[in-house]
Amino acid sequence: MTDQNKRLATILQDLGSMYRYLGGENLFKAIAYMKASQAIKSLPDDISLYLKEGTVKEIPGVGKSLEKDIREFYSTGSISRFENLKKIVPHGLIELVDVRGFGPKSLKRLYEDLHVESKEDVVKALKDGRITKLKGFGPRKVENMLRGLKLHKQLEERMLLRDALEAGEKLLAPLKTLKEVKRAELAGSLRRRKETIGDLDILAAVKLKDRKKVVKVFTSPKLAQRVLAKGDTRVSILMQENGRQADLRMVDESEWGAAFQYFTGSKDHNIHLRRLARDKGYKISEYGIFTARNHKRLAGKTEEQLYKHLGMQYIPPEMREDKGEIELALKRAIPKLVEIKDIRGDLQMHSDWSDGLQTMEEIVDFVEKNFSYDYIAITDHTKSSRVARGMKDQEFLKQIEEVKVINQKQGRDFLKAGAEVDILADGALDLSDEILSQLDWVVASIHSGFSRNNTDRLIKACENSYVNCIGHPTGRLIGKREAYPVDIAALIEAAVGTGTALEINGQPERLDLKDEWANEAREAGVNLVISTDSHKYNDFYFMSLGVGVARRAWCTADNILNTKPWHDIVKLTSKGNLSVV
DNA sequence: GCCGTTTTCGGCCCGACTGTTTTCAGTCG
């Protein structure tokens, strides 16, 4: 996403939140602005291009009024509608509209009765008991607000992996253009693909005499909003992009491997390695591997060398958590982890038949242009998911026909007709058997009843003979919603027993199953599917985030269903021999 | 504010759940 698109999308998003705060008739404006914000985020090109070509109104969700807003933003950098609303809406409270436990009405009460104007004010009022005294704010409500704030805070302290990758690339790109920089990479937890990231770590190979110039670029106002520390080996800044801390470490090219290993971590992994090295009479530091006795340097230029000197296989960054990978590497039993190039198709996505932004044909064109997949499955929502414009049964019949037409035009069965079927309260599916039986791919997901224990519902869905896969199995949204209560071990057992696949959902906020559950599922022999759950063009790139989770779960290509040809997938998830429940 | 092969006006985000009430307002998905 370009910087300009990002700024515009943020303003539109804020406008949406402000209209939500105002409520009443404005609610529909709120929806319109949120939708437009999403659409801007998914644009492949900078908004200026659309303005130049006069195609702004072709962006879904952008009409006459939004076109005007966008023009104004382009020429002045802001939108007068936004500036005016700021005068009547407490802008400092807007970020809380989407926090669990709050909502427009509650915020309005807090603003009007307690005159709070910021999140900090709200926290203070919660602590000193002023909120508890308000009519309608009982202990459970207050407890929910506190929990919501806690989740929200988590996200403030840590970035989502996707956001961290984006921010990291923005720092990395200008460094890489410098001829003084021999090599530069993202290290730390980002390289290990953890689901959330605290600080960014960047490693660069630069000669001592050239470092001043590199520091100058890294600390320039374009990249840094504040410089925290500045030396010859380390520079810390708060990023212009998002105010988070980023550390640049500079080493000599000859030290690259040792430093890259050291700054990638994890801490536990490194401690274990150092202990191992000491036992063997070596010493490891960020500068290399040395003999303990006379401090003779043995290696350090590449990571591979370093691991080799310790008598072990190279360990992929995603595995470096000291969870048994070192023992495996010593036995030369590190699995060949799944890679993005192994993926042959995407098995959850939404078109404009439900809550996606693009038509099925547009999706097919986009995917063919940008990915080398063999198949994709359209999985629109069913009728219970009203918010997601879930489709009635009859519409699925029409959609199945259109899928056929598109495939005919293509001359191949690229597009699979599917559904993301709601699992109802009693575990039954929200789509008739008549239609389920005509679909190529059925993902079953829970979209309601998040507070109850959902194990039974999920197991019943696994036992349904039409269900191929359980979508986002725990329902969590990082920093927004905890996973619903579910006995994962029991779900995994049911998945193995019935031949139902479990999904690793690649949406940045979901990454669900998360790494440790995916690992347990893999060990139990579950077939995993990595999906993007795309709702718009750019979402298709979330596949790499899902692959990151799978690699953290030690998955090989063989563990992942969508690395296989379609006929194998059908074979592995068909339940012909299962007694229909 | 957007949208349209049921509509250029009147839909759209409604039903379930939760928490605080004592009949329902607000939130959630």
Side-chain angles (χ1 to χ4, degrees):
Chain A
M1 200 188 329
T2 66
D3 282 337
Q4 184 150 246
N5 287 3
K6 198 168 185 173
R7 281 199 306 276
L8 174 58
T10 304
I11 292 182
L12 297 181
Q13 171 87 38
D14 274 5
L15 268 167
S17 298
M18 286 164 143
Y19 280 121
R20 272 192 66 195
Y21 177 90
L22 292 172
E25 276 306 298
N26 296 301
L27 227 46
F28 298 110
K29 280 190 199 174
I31 294 166
Y33 274 99
M34 304 262 190
K35 196 177 167 213
S37 170
Q38 285 297 314
I40 299 294
K41 279 186 196 164
S42 83
L43 290 181
D45 298 302
D46 193 77
I47 190 67
S48 54
L49 190 78
Y50 297 82
L51 285 164
K52 210 169 78 189
E53 292 181 348
T55 50
V56 179
K57 276 185 80 177
E58 285 171 27
I59 300 168
V62 175
K64 215 165 148 186
S65 168
L66 264 155
E67 185 189 15
K68 203 170 141 255
D69 287 347
I70 292 171
R71 282 196 185 284
E72 190 186 352
F73 167 79
Y74 183 66
S75 54
T76 70
S78 190
I79 298 174
S80 47
R81 174 197 302 282
F82 177 59
E83 299 303 326
N84 291 336
L85 268 184
K86 271 195 206 169
K87 287 172 200 153
I88 50 171
V89 175
H91 191 235
L93 292 179
I94 284 309
E95 65 169 315
L96 293 178
V97 175
D98 285 316
V99 173
R100 223 180 148 67
F102 292 82
K105 296 285 164 49
S106 302
L107 284 172
K108 214 170 199 164
R109 280 287 306 283
L110 295 181
Y111 178 59
E112 281 166 5
D113 293 1
L114 300 177
H115 311 294
V116 296
E117 283 184 16
S118 68
K119 192 182 67 192
E120 290 68 33
D121 291 351
V122 173
V123 171
K124 218 188 285 168
L126 273 167
K127 277 191 183 146
D128 64 23
R130 269 179 294 157
I131 289 185
T132 324
K133 288 197 194 101
L134 288 181
K135 201 169 147 63
F137 287 70
R140 299 297 291 274
K141 168 114 181 131
V142 168
E143 192 187 315
N144 270 340
M145 292 166 84
L146 285 167
R147 273 174 60 184
L149 280 172
K150 205 174 144 198
L151 275 167
H152 184 66
K153 198 172 166 210
Q154 241 174 47
L155 206 60
E156 284 197 322
E157 284 166 359
R158 297 186 70 82
M159 291 169 265
L160 291 177
L161 175 60
R162 185 264 312 258
D163 298 338
L165 280 168
E166 241 180 63
E169 285 303 325
K170 281 195 183 148
L171 293 181
L172 206 54
L175 295 181
K176 279 186 163 172
T177 60
L178 300 172
K179 65 176 190 304
E180 290 83 0
V181 174
K182 302 297 171 202
R183 194 176 169 188
E185 300 286 350
L186 301 170
S189 52
L190 192 52
R191 185 170 176 231
R192 304 200 311 279
R193 295 294 188 267
K194 280 196 70 169
E195 62 192 35
T196 59
I197 309 293
D199 301 340
L200 288 185
D201 290 299
I202 294 177
L203 182 68
V206 189
K207 284 201 172 67
L208 198 56
K209 66 173 174 61
D210 294 330
R211 291 190 186 163
K212 290 253 178 329
K213 179 164 177 202
V214 177
V215 170
K216 203 174 159 196
V217 171
F218 192 68
T219 56
S220 68
K222 196 163 173 245
L223 299 183
Q225 107 188 183
R226 227 176 93 197
V227 181
L228 300 174
K230 194 152 91 169
D232 275 341
T233 56
R234 201 187 117 188
V235 192
S236 291
I237 60 164
L238 296 183
M239 279 181 275
Q240 193 58 261
E241 166 95 358
N242 53 20
R244 311 275 179 153
Q245 185 170 337
D247 296 339
L248 170 69
R249 315 258 178 173
M250 284 172 291
V251 296
D252 192 77
E253 217 180 345
S254 64
E255 299 160 344
W256 174 267
F260 203 22
Q261 197 288 318
Y262 183 84
F263 291 118
T264 296
S266 65
K267 199 174 167 191
D268 290 340
H269 177 89
N270 286 357
I271 289 170
H272 193 159
L273 275 193
R274 286 205 288 272
R275 206 171 56 223
L276 212 74
R278 197 192 53 208
D279 293 347
K280 286 177 184 280
Y282 301 135
K283 193 170 145 334
I284 311 178
S285 73
E286 61 264 51
Y287 301 108
I289 178 164
F290 304 87
T291 59
R293 201 204 305 229
N294 54 12
H295 212 67
K296 190 181 157 217
R297 190 163 186 272
L298 301 170
K301 183 147 196 217
T302 70
E303 283 190 307
E304 284 80 358
Q305 279 180 349
L306 197 102
Y307 283 103
K308 202 174 161 194
H309 268 276
L310 293 172
M312 63 177 79
Q313 260 178 305
Y314 173 80
I315 302 176
E318 296 90 339
M319 289 182 79
R320 300 180 194 171
E321 300 289 346
D322 195 28
K323 293 202 169 144
E325 75 280 4
I326 291 176
E327 291 79 357
L328 277 189
L330 286 166
K331 287 190 288 188
R332 315 207 66 74
I334 293 284
K336 190 181 175 323
L337 300 184
V338 61
E339 293 176 48
I340 188 84
K341 68 174 171 53
D342 297 326
I343 302 294
R344 290 199 182 198
D346 199 339
L347 295 176
Q348 188 181 172
M349 68 191 62
H350 301 268
S351 74
D352 66 350
W353 284 64
S354 65
D355 61 345
L357 288 187
Q358 275 82 33
T359 67
M360 291 199 287
E361 271 189 305
E362 284 170 337
I363 290 171
V364 168
D365 286 346
F366 178 82
V367 171
E368 291 215 302
K369 211 161 101 192
N370 297 290
F371 297 84
S372 49
Y373 290 160
D374 297 333
Y375 47 81
I376 58 172
I378 292 281
T379 52
D380 278 312
H381 288 282
T382 56
K383 53 188 175 295
S384 291
S385 281
R386 287 169 190 285
V387 188
R389 296 198 301 276
M391 287 154 61
K392 296 198 177 75
D393 289 23
Q394 289 309 306
E395 291 177 82
F396 275 97
L397 291 176
K398 278 200 248 167
Q399 195 186 32
I400 291 169
E401 287 311 308
E402 192 171 322
V403 166
K404 283 182 191 158
V405 171
I406 292 172
N407 281 336
Q408 251 160 28
K409 267 192 216 162
Q410 286 249 317
R412 61 169 182 156
D413 276 345
F414 181 67
L415 195 55
K416 307 296 175 189
E420 185 187 12
V421 185
D422 265 38
I423 302 173
L424 302 175
D426 61 356
L429 297 188
D430 186 32
L431 200 55
S432 72
D433 283 0
E434 186 210 336
I435 292 171
L436 287 168
S437 66
Q438 295 183 55
L439 293 171
D440 299 313
W441 183 252
V442 175
V443 182
S445 310
I446 286 182
H447 292 116
S448 62
F450 290 90
S451 50
R452 81 181 82 153
N453 190 308
N454 283 307
T455 311
D456 292 345
R457 281 166 93 186
L458 289 165
I459 290 178
K460 200 165 168 202
C462 285
E463 287 167 348
N464 188 299
S465 58
Y466 296 114
V467 171
N468 301 104
C469 181
I470 300 291
H472 45 73
T474 76
R476 66 124 175 217
L477 294 176
I478 299 171
K480 285 196 179 154
R481 188 173 73 206
E482 291 153 359
Y484 41 68
V486 54
D487 180 346
I488 303 267
L491 172 63
I492 287 174
E493 197 188 318
V496 175
T498 57
T500 310
L502 297 182
E503 182 184 65
I504 294 173
N505 187 301
Q507 290 277 325
E509 289 185 328
R510 290 194 185 272
L511 299 181
D512 177 11
L513 294 171
K514 64 189 261 177
D515 46 13
E516 59 175 302
W517 300 135
N519 187 47
E520 291 200 10
R522 174 193 59 79
E523 282 187 332
V526 172
N527 286 313
L528 291 160
V529 166
I530 308 174
S531 317
T532 62
D533 197 355
S534 291
H535 287 72
K536 51 191 189 293
Y537 286 144
N538 282 4
D539 291 1
F540 286 93
Y541 295 104
F542 295 157
M543 187 58 79
S544 68
L545 302 178
V547 169
V549 174
R551 287 171 65 86
R552 287 181 61 80
W554 299 13
C555 289
T556 65
D558 197 47
N559 299 129
I560 309 297
L561 221 42
N562 49 321
T563 63
K564 300 175 193 288
W566 181 254
H567 56 86
D568 285 355
I569 294 181
V570 173
K571 222 183 292 170
L572 284 163
T573 60
S574 73
K575 301 179 177 175
N577 52 359
L578 195 80
S579 55
V580 178
V581 189

Short mmCIF file of all heavy atoms in Angstrom, two decimals, chain A residues 83-127:
data_model
loop_
_atom_site.label_atom_id
_atom_site.label_comp_id
_atom_site.label_asym_id
_atom_site.label_seq_id
_atom_site.Cartn_x
_atom_site.Cartn_y
_atom_site.Cartn_z
N GLU A 83 -12.51 17.44 9.13
CA GLU A 83 -12.12 18.51 10.06
C GLU A 83 -13.35 19.06 10.79
O GLU A 83 -13.28 19.37 11.99
CB GLU A 83 -11.41 19.64 9.30
CG GLU A 83 -10.12 19.21 8.59
CD GLU A 83 -9.08 18.58 9.52
OE1 GLU A 83 -9.01 18.99 10.70
OE2 GLU A 83 -8.38 17.64 9.08
N ASN A 84 -14.46 19.16 10.09
CA ASN A 84 -15.67 19.69 10.73
C ASN A 84 -16.23 18.73 11.77
O ASN A 84 -16.67 19.15 12.84
CB ASN A 84 -16.74 19.98 9.67
CG ASN A 84 -16.36 21.15 8.79
OD1 ASN A 84 -15.57 22.02 9.21
ND2 ASN A 84 -16.87 21.19 7.58
N LEU A 85 -16.22 17.46 11.43
CA LEU A 85 -16.75 16.47 12.36
C LEU A 85 -15.93 16.42 13.64
O LEU A 85 -16.47 16.22 14.73
CB LEU A 85 -16.76 15.08 11.72
CG LEU A 85 -18.03 14.67 11.00
CD1 LEU A 85 -17.91 13.24 10.51
CD2 LEU A 85 -19.24 14.80 11.93
N LYS A 86 -14.63 16.64 13.49
CA LYS A 86 -13.75 16.63 14.66
C LYS A 86 -14.23 17.64 15.71
O LYS A 86 -13.96 17.47 16.89
CB LYS A 86 -12.32 17.01 14.24
CG LYS A 86 -11.47 15.83 13.81
CD LYS A 86 -10.02 16.33 13.80
CE LYS A 86 -9.15 15.55 12.86
NZ LYS A 86 -7.85 16.20 12.67
N LYS A 87 -14.91 18.69 15.22
CA LYS A 87 -15.36 19.74 16.16
C LYS A 87 -16.55 19.29 17.00
O LYS A 87 -16.76 19.81 18.09
CB LYS A 87 -15.73 21.01 15.38
CG LYS A 87 -14.50 21.73 14.84
CD LYS A 87 -14.89 22.87 13.92
CE LYS A 87 -13.74 23.28 13.01
NZ LYS A 87 -14.20 23.88 11.75
N ILE A 88 -17.33 18.36 16.50
CA ILE A 88 -18.50 17.94 17.30
C ILE A 88 -18.36 16.54 17.89
O ILE A 88 -19.11 16.17 18.78
CB ILE A 88 -19.81 18.01 16.47
CG1 ILE A 88 -19.66 17.30 15.12
CG2 ILE A 88 -20.24 19.45 16.26
CD1 ILE A 88 -20.98 17.17 14.39
N VAL A 89 -17.39 15.77 17.39
CA VAL A 89 -17.19 14.42 17.93
C VAL A 89 -15.88 14.41 18.72
O VAL A 89 -14.89 14.94 18.23
CB VAL A 89 -17.11 13.40 16.76
CG1 VAL A 89 -16.78 12.02 17.28
CG2 VAL A 89 -18.41 13.38 15.99
N PRO A 90 -15.88 13.85 19.92
CA PRO A 90 -14.61 13.78 20.67
C PRO A 90 -13.64 12.84 19.97
O PRO A 90 -13.72 11.62 20.13
CB PRO A 90 -15.01 13.25 22.04
CG PRO A 90 -16.32 12.58 21.83
CD PRO A 90 -16.99 13.25 20.67
N HIS A 91 -12.73 13.43 19.19
CA HIS A 91 -11.86 12.63 18.33
C HIS A 91 -11.00 11.66 19.12
O HIS A 91 -10.66 10.57 18.68
CB HIS A 91 -10.98 13.58 17.50
CG HIS A 91 -10.25 12.88 16.40
ND1 HIS A 91 -8.90 12.94 16.25
CD2 HIS A 91 -10.70 12.06 15.42
CE1 HIS A 91 -8.52 12.20 15.23
NE2 HIS A 91 -9.59 11.66 14.70
N GLY A 92 -10.65 12.06 20.37
CA GLY A 92 -9.81 11.21 21.21
C GLY A 92 -10.49 9.92 21.63
O GLY A 92 -9.83 8.98 22.06
N LEU A 93 -11.81 9.89 21.51
CA LEU A 93 -12.53 8.67 21.93
C LEU A 93 -12.80 7.73 20.77
O LEU A 93 -13.20 6.58 20.97
CB LEU A 93 -13.86 9.06 22.59
CG LEU A 93 -13.78 9.77 23.94
CD1 LEU A 93 -15.17 10.10 24.45
CD2 LEU A 93 -13.04 8.92 24.96
N ILE A 94 -12.58 8.23 19.55
CA ILE A 94 -12.97 7.49 18.36
C ILE A 94 -12.27 6.13 18.26
O ILE A 94 -12.84 5.15 17.84
CB ILE A 94 -12.70 8.35 17.10
CG1 ILE A 94 -13.80 9.40 17.00
CG2 ILE A 94 -12.67 7.53 15.85
CD1 ILE A 94 -15.20 8.86 17.10
N GLU A 95 -11.02 6.09 18.71
CA GLU A 95 -10.29 4.82 18.60
C GLU A 95 -10.93 3.73 19.46
O GLU A 95 -10.68 2.55 19.28
CB GLU A 95 -8.81 5.01 19.01
CG GLU A 95 -8.63 5.36 20.47
CD GLU A 95 -7.17 5.28 20.93
OE1 GLU A 95 -6.50 4.30 20.59
OE2 GLU A 95 -6.72 6.22 21.61
N LEU A 96 -11.80 4.14 20.40
CA LEU A 96 -12.42 3.14 21.29
C LEU A 96 -13.72 2.56 20.73
O LEU A 96 -14.24 1.58 21.26
CB LEU A 96 -12.69 3.77 22.66
CG LEU A 96 -11.44 4.14 23.47
CD1 LEU A 96 -11.83 4.80 24.78
CD2 LEU A 96 -10.60 2.90 23.75
N VAL A 97 -14.24 3.18 19.66
CA VAL A 97 -15.53 2.71 19.13
C VAL A 97 -15.48 1.23 18.76
O VAL A 97 -16.47 0.51 18.89
CB VAL A 97 -15.96 3.55 17.91
CG1 VAL A 97 -17.22 2.99 17.29
CG2 VAL A 97 -16.22 4.99 18.33
N ASP A 98 -14.34 0.77 18.32
CA ASP A 98 -14.22 -0.62 17.89
C ASP A 98 -13.65 -1.54 18.96
O ASP A 98 -13.36 -2.69 18.70
CB ASP A 98 -13.36 -0.72 16.62
CG ASP A 98 -14.14 -0.24 15.42
OD1 ASP A 98 -15.31 -0.62 15.30
OD2 ASP A 98 -13.59 0.54 14.62
N VAL A 99 -13.46 -1.00 20.15
CA VAL A 99 -12.92 -1.83 21.23
C VAL A 99 -14.07 -2.55 21.92
O VAL A 99 -15.11 -1.97 22.20
CB VAL A 99 -12.13 -0.96 22.23
CG1 VAL A 99 -11.71 -1.78 23.44
CG2 VAL A 99 -10.91 -0.36 21.55
N ARG A 100 -13.84 -3.83 22.13
CA ARG A 100 -14.83 -4.67 22.80
C ARG A 100 -15.26 -4.08 24.13
O ARG A 100 -14.43 -3.58 24.89
CB ARG A 100 -14.17 -6.02 23.08
CG ARG A 100 -15.02 -7.18 22.80
CD ARG A 100 -14.28 -8.46 23.10
NE ARG A 100 -15.23 -9.45 23.54
CZ ARG A 100 -16.15 -9.95 22.75
NH1 ARG A 100 -16.23 -9.56 21.51
NH2 ARG A 100 -17.00 -10.84 23.22
N GLY A 101 -16.56 -4.11 24.40
CA GLY A 101 -17.05 -3.60 25.68
C GLY A 101 -17.47 -2.13 25.60
O GLY A 101 -18.18 -1.64 26.46
N PHE A 102 -16.99 -1.44 24.56
CA PHE A 102 -17.43 -0.07 24.36
C PHE A 102 -18.45 -0.05 23.23
O PHE A 102 -19.03 -1.07 22.90
CB PHE A 102 -16.23 0.84 24.03
CG PHE A 102 -15.31 1.01 25.18
CD1 PHE A 102 -14.35 0.04 25.46
CD2 PHE A 102 -15.41 2.10 26.01
CE1 PHE A 102 -13.50 0.18 26.54
CE2 PHE A 102 -14.56 2.25 27.10
CZ PHE A 102 -13.61 1.29 27.36
N GLY A 103 -18.63 1.06 22.63
CA GLY A 103 -19.61 1.20 21.56
C GLY A 103 -20.04 2.65 21.58
O GLY A 103 -19.75 3.37 22.53
N PRO A 104 -20.68 3.10 20.51
CA PRO A 104 -21.00 4.52 20.39
C PRO A 104 -21.83 5.05 21.57
O PRO A 104 -21.55 6.12 22.09
CB PRO A 104 -21.78 4.61 19.08
CG PRO A 104 -21.98 3.22 18.59
CD PRO A 104 -21.05 2.33 19.32
N LYS A 105 -22.82 4.29 21.99
CA LYS A 105 -23.72 4.79 23.04
C LYS A 105 -22.99 4.92 24.38
O LYS A 105 -23.15 5.91 25.09
CB LYS A 105 -24.93 3.86 23.18
CG LYS A 105 -25.80 3.82 21.95
CD LYS A 105 -26.62 5.09 21.83
CE LYS A 105 -27.23 5.29 20.45
NZ LYS A 105 -27.91 4.12 19.92
N SER A 106 -22.20 3.92 24.69
CA SER A 106 -21.46 3.97 25.95
C SER A 106 -20.48 5.15 25.94
O SER A 106 -20.35 5.87 26.92
CB SER A 106 -20.69 2.68 26.18
OG SER A 106 -21.56 1.59 26.18
N LEU A 107 -19.80 5.32 24.81
CA LEU A 107 -18.82 6.40 24.72
C LEU A 107 -19.50 7.75 24.86
O LEU A 107 -18.98 8.65 25.52
CB LEU A 107 -18.06 6.32 23.39
CG LEU A 107 -16.99 5.23 23.34
CD1 LEU A 107 -16.44 5.08 21.93
CD2 LEU A 107 -15.85 5.55 24.31
N LYS A 108 -20.66 7.89 24.27
CA LYS A 108 -21.41 9.13 24.35
C LYS A 108 -21.76 9.44 25.80
O LYS A 108 -21.63 10.56 26.27
CB LYS A 108 -22.67 9.01 23.51
CG LYS A 108 -23.07 10.29 22.84
CD LYS A 108 -24.19 10.02 21.85
CE LYS A 108 -24.31 11.15 20.85
NZ LYS A 108 -25.10 10.75 19.68
N ARG A 109 -22.22 8.41 26.50
CA ARG A 109 -22.55 8.58 27.92
C ARG A 109 -21.31 9.03 28.70
O ARG A 109 -21.37 9.97 29.50
CB ARG A 109 -23.04 7.25 28.52
CG ARG A 109 -24.50 6.91 28.22
CD ARG A 109 -25.48 7.78 29.00
NE ARG A 109 -25.27 7.77 30.45
CZ ARG A 109 -25.61 6.79 31.26
NH1 ARG A 109 -26.20 5.70 30.79
NH2 ARG A 109 -25.38 6.88 32.56
N LEU A 110 -20.18 8.36 28.44
CA LEU A 110 -18.95 8.70 29.16
C LEU A 110 -18.55 10.14 28.87
O LEU A 110 -18.14 10.88 29.76
CB LEU A 110 -17.82 7.75 28.76
CG LEU A 110 -18.01 6.28 29.15
CD1 LEU A 110 -16.80 5.46 28.71
CD2 LEU A 110 -18.23 6.13 30.64
N TYR A 111 -18.68 10.52 27.60
CA TYR A 111 -18.28 11.87 27.19
C TYR A 111 -19.21 12.91 27.82
O TYR A 111 -18.75 13.91 28.38
CB TYR A 111 -18.33 11.97 25.66
CG TYR A 111 -17.99 13.32 25.11
CD1 TYR A 111 -16.76 13.90 25.38
CD2 TYR A 111 -18.90 14.01 24.31
CE1 TYR A 111 -16.44 15.15 24.86
CE2 TYR A 111 -18.59 15.26 23.79
CZ TYR A 111 -17.36 15.82 24.07
OH TYR A 111 -17.04 17.06 23.56
N GLU A 112 -20.51 12.66 27.77
CA GLU A 112 -21.46 13.66 28.23
C GLU A 112 -21.56 13.72 29.76
O GLU A 112 -21.69 14.79 30.33
CB GLU A 112 -22.83 13.39 27.59
CG GLU A 112 -22.85 13.90 26.16
CD GLU A 112 -24.03 13.38 25.34
OE1 GLU A 112 -24.90 12.70 25.92
OE2 GLU A 112 -24.06 13.66 24.13
N ASP A 113 -21.52 12.54 30.40
CA ASP A 113 -21.70 12.53 31.85
C ASP A 113 -20.41 12.76 32.63
O ASP A 113 -20.42 13.32 33.71
CB ASP A 113 -22.33 11.20 32.31
CG ASP A 113 -23.75 11.05 31.79
OD1 ASP A 113 -24.20 11.97 31.07
OD2 ASP A 113 -24.41 10.04 32.08
N LEU A 114 -19.31 12.25 32.07
CA LEU A 114 -18.05 12.33 32.82
C LEU A 114 -17.03 13.27 32.17
O LEU A 114 -15.95 13.49 32.70
CB LEU A 114 -17.42 10.93 32.97
CG LEU A 114 -18.25 9.88 33.71
CD1 LEU A 114 -17.52 8.54 33.71
CD2 LEU A 114 -18.53 10.33 35.13
N HIS A 115 -17.39 13.80 30.98
CA HIS A 115 -16.52 14.72 30.25
C HIS A 115 -15.14 14.12 29.95
O HIS A 115 -14.15 14.84 29.94
CB HIS A 115 -16.36 16.04 31.03
CG HIS A 115 -17.67 16.59 31.48
ND1 HIS A 115 -18.62 17.03 30.59
CD2 HIS A 115 -18.22 16.72 32.71
CE1 HIS A 115 -19.69 17.42 31.26
NE2 HIS A 115 -19.48 17.24 32.55
N VAL A 116 -15.06 12.81 29.73
CA VAL A 116 -13.79 12.23 29.33
C VAL A 116 -13.58 12.52 27.84
O VAL A 116 -14.54 12.59 27.07
CB VAL A 116 -13.76 10.69 29.56
CG1 VAL A 116 -13.86 10.37 31.02
CG2 VAL A 116 -14.87 10.00 28.79
N GLU A 117 -12.34 12.72 27.45
CA GLU A 117 -12.09 13.07 26.06
C GLU A 117 -11.04 12.22 25.39
O GLU A 117 -10.74 12.38 24.22
CB GLU A 117 -11.67 14.55 25.97
CG GLU A 117 -12.85 15.48 26.12
CD GLU A 117 -12.48 16.93 25.93
OE1 GLU A 117 -11.39 17.19 25.41
OE2 GLU A 117 -13.30 17.79 26.31
N SER A 118 -10.44 11.30 26.15
CA SER A 118 -9.40 10.47 25.56
C SER A 118 -9.44 9.10 26.21
O SER A 118 -10.11 8.89 27.23
CB SER A 118 -8.03 11.10 25.81
OG SER A 118 -7.73 11.04 27.19
N LYS A 119 -8.69 8.19 25.63
CA LYS A 119 -8.61 6.84 26.19
C LYS A 119 -8.05 6.90 27.61
O LYS A 119 -8.52 6.19 28.50
CB LYS A 119 -7.73 5.97 25.30
CG LYS A 119 -7.83 4.51 25.64
CD LYS A 119 -6.93 3.69 24.78
CE LYS A 119 -5.50 4.04 25.10
NZ LYS A 119 -4.55 3.52 24.14
N GLU A 120 -7.05 7.79 27.81
CA GLU A 120 -6.43 7.90 29.12
C GLU A 120 -7.47 8.33 30.17
O GLU A 120 -7.49 7.82 31.27
CB GLU A 120 -5.27 8.91 29.09
CG GLU A 120 -4.03 8.44 28.31
CD GLU A 120 -4.27 8.32 26.80
OE1 GLU A 120 -5.07 9.11 26.25
OE2 GLU A 120 -3.68 7.41 26.18
N ASP A 121 -8.33 9.28 29.77
CA ASP A 121 -9.39 9.72 30.67
C ASP A 121 -10.29 8.56 31.05
O ASP A 121 -10.70 8.41 32.20
CB ASP A 121 -10.26 10.80 30.00
CG ASP A 121 -9.49 12.10 29.79
OD1 ASP A 121 -8.38 12.21 30.33
OD2 ASP A 121 -10.04 12.99 29.11
N VAL A 122 -10.59 7.71 30.05
CA VAL A 122 -11.49 6.59 30.29
C VAL A 122 -10.87 5.61 31.28
O VAL A 122 -11.52 5.15 32.23
CB VAL A 122 -11.82 5.85 28.96
CG1 VAL A 122 -12.62 4.58 29.24
CG2 VAL A 122 -12.60 6.77 28.04
N VAL A 123 -9.58 5.34 31.07
CA VAL A 123 -8.88 4.42 31.98
C VAL A 123 -8.93 4.96 33.40
O VAL A 123 -9.20 4.23 34.36
CB VAL A 123 -7.42 4.23 31.52
CG1 VAL A 123 -6.62 3.44 32.56
CG2 VAL A 123 -7.37 3.51 30.17
N LYS A 124 -8.68 6.28 33.53
CA LYS A 124 -8.69 6.91 34.85
C LYS A 124 -10.08 6.77 35.49
O LYS A 124 -10.22 6.40 36.65
CB LYS A 124 -8.31 8.39 34.70
CG LYS A 124 -7.43 8.88 35.86
CD LYS A 124 -7.22 10.37 35.84
CE LYS A 124 -6.25 10.85 34.77
NZ LYS A 124 -6.27 12.31 34.58
N ALA A 125 -11.10 7.04 34.70
CA ALA A 125 -12.46 6.99 35.22
C ALA A 125 -12.86 5.56 35.61
O ALA A 125 -13.64 5.35 36.54
CB ALA A 125 -13.44 7.53 34.17
N LEU A 126 -12.31 4.58 34.89
CA LEU A 126 -12.57 3.19 35.25
C LEU A 126 -11.91 2.87 36.58
O LEU A 126 -12.50 2.22 37.44
CB LEU A 126 -12.02 2.25 34.16
CG LEU A 126 -12.93 1.93 32.98
CD1 LEU A 126 -12.14 1.27 31.86
CD2 LEU A 126 -14.09 1.05 33.39
N LYS A 127 -10.69 3.37 36.73
CA LYS A 127 -9.92 3.05 37.94
C LYS A 127 -10.50 3.70 39.19
O LYS A 127 -10.60 3.08 40.24
CB LYS A 127 -8.46 3.51 37.75
CG LYS A 127 -7.63 2.47 37.00
CD LYS A 127 -6.15 2.80 37.04
CE LYS A 127 -5.36 1.79 36.22
NZ LYS A 127 -4.20 2.41 35.57
#
